[in-house]
């Protein structure tokens, strides 16, 4: 109940903290884009914390290991995968994101709920109605203030990820899976005005300039409102 009140308080403008999320498929360049966001917030004197999903709290990091590990004795079911993602998100929201926002800090999220909708919804084919129930239980209407979605063709993204080194359990999926994830990301990004799509196939400098511009624009908007 306390949690619900806190979430509602935030959406009605009682807190100055903002939740910026970066999303995209493997090899999209999330890490360097996060560095650009950090730099931009620092230049504007905005205090922030970083989170990542799955993970971000001690318990959620254990769940992350379970989700990413390729060394399981048994195959992870798609239901377990989905529930671990939301269990991790619930821990992170209650223990890190909401307290930071309530304290007026901004939060930079390396992935959030859009990932589940793209990977588990699009990739695994989970029914949207069922997922919406789990989302409601976990998030209670909470959502990011702005999401920067780095759009990359999965063929390019996966080859970048492979060049980086060892692949985790999800990265070892077949290309068909990633094509479904990509299509879902694009579909969801088109439907939601709070998602800014950045073409991540461009030169890195261009990508970073677009990310910086979006964040500066968002900061200006928050000062107005
Ligand atoms: P990454 O943080 O290194 O990108 O790894 C996280 C992996 O987990 C990545 O393959 C995307 C996947 N994932 C989901 O399938 N669903 C989710 O809800 C989240 C947050 C991540």
């Amino acid at each position: 109940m306390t949690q619900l009140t806190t979430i509602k308080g935030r959406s009605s403008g009682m807190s100055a903290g903002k939740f910026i999320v970066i999303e995209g498929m493997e090899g999209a360049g999330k890490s360097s884009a996060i560095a650009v966001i950090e730099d931009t917030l620092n230049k504007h004197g905005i205090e922030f914390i970083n989170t990542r999903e799955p993970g971000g709290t001690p318990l959620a990091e254990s769940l992350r290991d379970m989700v990413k590990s390729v060394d399981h004795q048994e195959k992870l079911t798609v239901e377990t995968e989905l529930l671990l993602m939301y269990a991790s998100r619930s821990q992170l929201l209650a223990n890190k994101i909401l307290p930071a926002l309530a304290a007026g800090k901004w939060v930079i999220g390396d992935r959030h709920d859009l990932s589940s909708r793209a990977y588990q919804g699009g990739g695994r084919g989970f029914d949207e109605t069922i997922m919406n129930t789990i989302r409601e239980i976990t998030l209670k209407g909470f959502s990011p203030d702005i999401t920067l979605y780095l759009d990359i063709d999965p063929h390019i993204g996966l080859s970048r990820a492979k060049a980086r080194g060892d692949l985790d359990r999800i990265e070892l999926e077949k290309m068909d899976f990633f094509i479904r994830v990509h299509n879902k990301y694009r579909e969801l990004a088109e439907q939601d005005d709070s998602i800014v799509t950045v073409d991540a196939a461009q030169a890195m400098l261009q990508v970073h300039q677009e990310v910086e511009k979006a964040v500066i624009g968002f900061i200006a908007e928050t000062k107005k409102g």
Side-chain angles (χ1 to χ4, degrees), residues 108-123:
I108 304 175
D110 179 348
R111 296 191 183 279
H112 186 60
D113 190 44
L114 193 64
S115 283
S116 295
R117 298 174 76 194
Y119 284 81
Q120 280 67 52

mmCIF file of all heavy atoms in Angstrom, residues 108-123:
data_model
loop_
_atom_site.group_PDB
_atom_site.id
_atom_site.type_symbol
_atom_site.label_atom_id
_atom_site.label_comp_id
_atom_site.label_asym_id
_atom_site.label_seq_id
_atom_site.Cartn_x
_atom_site.Cartn_y
_atom_site.Cartn_z
ATOM 1 N N ILE A 108 18.919 6.675 -13.991
ATOM 2 C CA ILE A 108 19.186 6.229 -15.371
ATOM 3 C C ILE A 108 19.067 4.708 -15.373
ATOM 4 O O ILE A 108 19.854 4.012 -14.735
ATOM 5 C CB ILE A 108 20.609 6.606 -15.848
ATOM 6 C CG1 ILE A 108 20.853 8.115 -15.726
ATOM 7 C CG2 ILE A 108 20.827 6.140 -17.291
ATOM 8 C CD1 ILE A 108 22.287 8.537 -16.065
ATOM 9 N N GLY A 109 18.076 4.194 -16.076
ATOM 10 C CA GLY A 109 17.839 2.750 -16.101
ATOM 11 C C GLY A 109 18.371 2.110 -17.368
ATOM 12 O O GLY A 109 17.980 2.495 -18.471
ATOM 13 N N ASP A 110 19.289 1.159 -17.174
ATOM 14 C CA ASP A 110 19.759 0.342 -18.298
ATOM 15 C C ASP A 110 18.728 -0.781 -18.436
ATOM 16 O O ASP A 110 18.797 -1.772 -17.729
ATOM 17 C CB ASP A 110 21.153 -0.198 -17.959
ATOM 18 C CG ASP A 110 21.741 -1.080 -19.056
ATOM 19 O OD1 ASP A 110 21.003 -1.465 -19.977
ATOM 20 O OD2 ASP A 110 22.940 -1.399 -18.955
ATOM 21 N N ARG A 111 17.740 -0.576 -19.284
ATOM 22 C CA ARG A 111 16.577 -1.450 -19.519
ATOM 23 C C ARG A 111 15.521 -1.286 -18.412
ATOM 24 O O ARG A 111 15.821 -0.969 -17.270
ATOM 25 C CB ARG A 111 16.949 -2.935 -19.582
ATOM 26 C CG ARG A 111 17.854 -3.319 -20.727
ATOM 27 C CD ARG A 111 17.931 -4.842 -20.842
ATOM 28 N NE ARG A 111 18.859 -5.255 -21.884
ATOM 29 C CZ ARG A 111 18.562 -5.283 -23.183
ATOM 30 N NH1 ARG A 111 17.369 -4.935 -23.585
ATOM 31 N NH2 ARG A 111 19.465 -5.663 -24.069
ATOM 32 N N HIS A 112 14.291 -1.552 -18.806
ATOM 33 C CA HIS A 112 13.161 -1.607 -17.855
ATOM 34 C C HIS A 112 12.067 -2.452 -18.503
ATOM 35 O O HIS A 112 12.375 -3.371 -19.277
ATOM 36 C CB HIS A 112 12.725 -0.172 -17.491
ATOM 37 C CG HIS A 112 11.683 -0.073 -16.433
ATOM 38 N ND1 HIS A 112 11.867 -0.570 -15.156
ATOM 39 C CD2 HIS A 112 10.415 0.423 -16.451
ATOM 40 C CE1 HIS A 112 10.764 -0.342 -14.452
ATOM 41 N NE2 HIS A 112 9.877 0.239 -15.229
ATOM 42 N N ASP A 113 10.827 -2.114 -18.220
ATOM 43 C CA ASP A 113 9.693 -2.961 -18.628
ATOM 44 C C ASP A 113 9.580 -3.166 -20.145
ATOM 45 O O ASP A 113 9.095 -4.204 -20.598
ATOM 46 C CB ASP A 113 8.408 -2.316 -18.084
ATOM 47 C CG ASP A 113 7.211 -3.222 -18.229
ATOM 48 O OD1 ASP A 113 7.340 -4.414 -17.925
ATOM 49 O OD2 ASP A 113 6.150 -2.740 -18.657
ATOM 50 N N LEU A 114 10.016 -2.194 -20.920
ATOM 51 C CA LEU A 114 9.922 -2.340 -22.385
ATOM 52 C C LEU A 114 10.696 -3.577 -22.855
ATOM 53 O O LEU A 114 10.300 -4.239 -23.822
ATOM 54 C CB LEU A 114 10.465 -1.072 -23.071
ATOM 55 C CG LEU A 114 10.161 -0.908 -24.558
ATOM 56 C CD1 LEU A 114 8.660 -0.768 -24.818
ATOM 57 C CD2 LEU A 114 10.902 0.300 -25.139
ATOM 58 N N SER A 115 11.800 -3.889 -22.152
ATOM 59 C CA SER A 115 12.575 -5.096 -22.496
ATOM 60 C C SER A 115 11.723 -6.346 -22.353
ATOM 61 O O SER A 115 11.763 -7.233 -23.213
ATOM 62 C CB SER A 115 13.810 -5.239 -21.591
ATOM 63 O OG SER A 115 14.835 -4.376 -21.975
ATOM 64 N N SER A 116 10.962 -6.435 -21.263
ATOM 65 C CA SER A 116 10.123 -7.625 -21.073
ATOM 66 C C SER A 116 9.060 -7.708 -22.155
ATOM 67 O O SER A 116 8.749 -8.785 -22.666
ATOM 68 C CB SER A 116 9.423 -7.591 -19.715
ATOM 69 O OG SER A 116 10.354 -7.657 -18.678
ATOM 70 N N ARG A 117 8.504 -6.551 -22.493
ATOM 71 C CA ARG A 117 7.451 -6.553 -23.520
ATOM 72 C C ARG A 117 8.035 -6.965 -24.879
ATOM 73 O O ARG A 117 7.373 -7.644 -25.662
ATOM 74 C CB ARG A 117 6.803 -5.175 -23.594
ATOM 75 C CG ARG A 117 6.135 -4.820 -22.268
ATOM 76 C CD ARG A 117 5.604 -3.418 -22.260
ATOM 77 N NE ARG A 117 4.388 -3.306 -23.028
ATOM 78 C CZ ARG A 117 3.853 -2.140 -23.406
ATOM 79 N NH1 ARG A 117 4.456 -1.008 -23.089
ATOM 80 N NH2 ARG A 117 2.736 -2.112 -24.090
ATOM 81 N N ALA A 118 9.295 -6.570 -25.136
ATOM 82 C CA ALA A 118 9.923 -6.933 -26.417
ATOM 83 C C ALA A 118 10.446 -8.380 -26.402
ATOM 84 O O ALA A 118 10.156 -9.158 -27.321
ATOM 85 C CB ALA A 118 11.060 -5.956 -26.726
ATOM 86 N N TYR A 119 11.192 -8.757 -25.345
ATOM 87 C CA TYR A 119 11.835 -10.082 -25.326
ATOM 88 C C TYR A 119 10.848 -11.197 -24.960
ATOM 89 O O TYR A 119 10.781 -12.217 -25.651
ATOM 90 C CB TYR A 119 13.023 -10.108 -24.351
ATOM 91 C CG TYR A 119 14.258 -9.420 -24.868
ATOM 92 C CD1 TYR A 119 14.378 -8.031 -24.799
ATOM 93 C CD2 TYR A 119 15.310 -10.135 -25.436
ATOM 94 C CE1 TYR A 119 15.503 -7.380 -25.272
ATOM 95 C CE2 TYR A 119 16.451 -9.490 -25.915
ATOM 96 C CZ TYR A 119 16.549 -8.120 -25.828
ATOM 97 O OH TYR A 119 17.661 -7.482 -26.305
ATOM 98 N N GLN A 120 10.107 -10.984 -23.847
ATOM 99 C CA GLN A 120 9.194 -12.051 -23.430
ATOM 100 C C GLN A 120 7.880 -11.962 -24.233
ATOM 101 O O GLN A 120 7.331 -12.980 -24.639
ATOM 102 C CB GLN A 120 8.916 -11.975 -21.919
ATOM 103 C CG GLN A 120 10.022 -12.571 -21.043
ATOM 104 C CD GLN A 120 11.329 -11.784 -21.106
ATOM 105 O OE1 GLN A 120 11.344 -10.569 -20.905
ATOM 106 N NE2 GLN A 120 12.437 -12.467 -21.404
ATOM 107 N N GLY A 121 7.408 -10.741 -24.476
ATOM 108 C CA GLY A 121 6.186 -10.580 -25.266
ATOM 109 C C GLY A 121 6.432 -10.892 -26.740
ATOM 110 O O GLY A 121 5.806 -11.781 -27.312
ATOM 111 N N GLY A 122 7.358 -10.150 -27.339
ATOM 112 C CA GLY A 122 7.636 -10.348 -28.770
ATOM 113 C C GLY A 122 8.419 -11.627 -29.041
ATOM 114 O O GLY A 122 8.006 -12.483 -29.821
ATOM 115 N N GLY A 123 9.557 -11.757 -28.357
ATOM 116 C CA GLY A 123 10.465 -12.886 -28.626
ATOM 117 C C GLY A 123 9.874 -14.227 -28.243
ATOM 118 O O GLY A 123 9.849 -15.165 -29.042
#
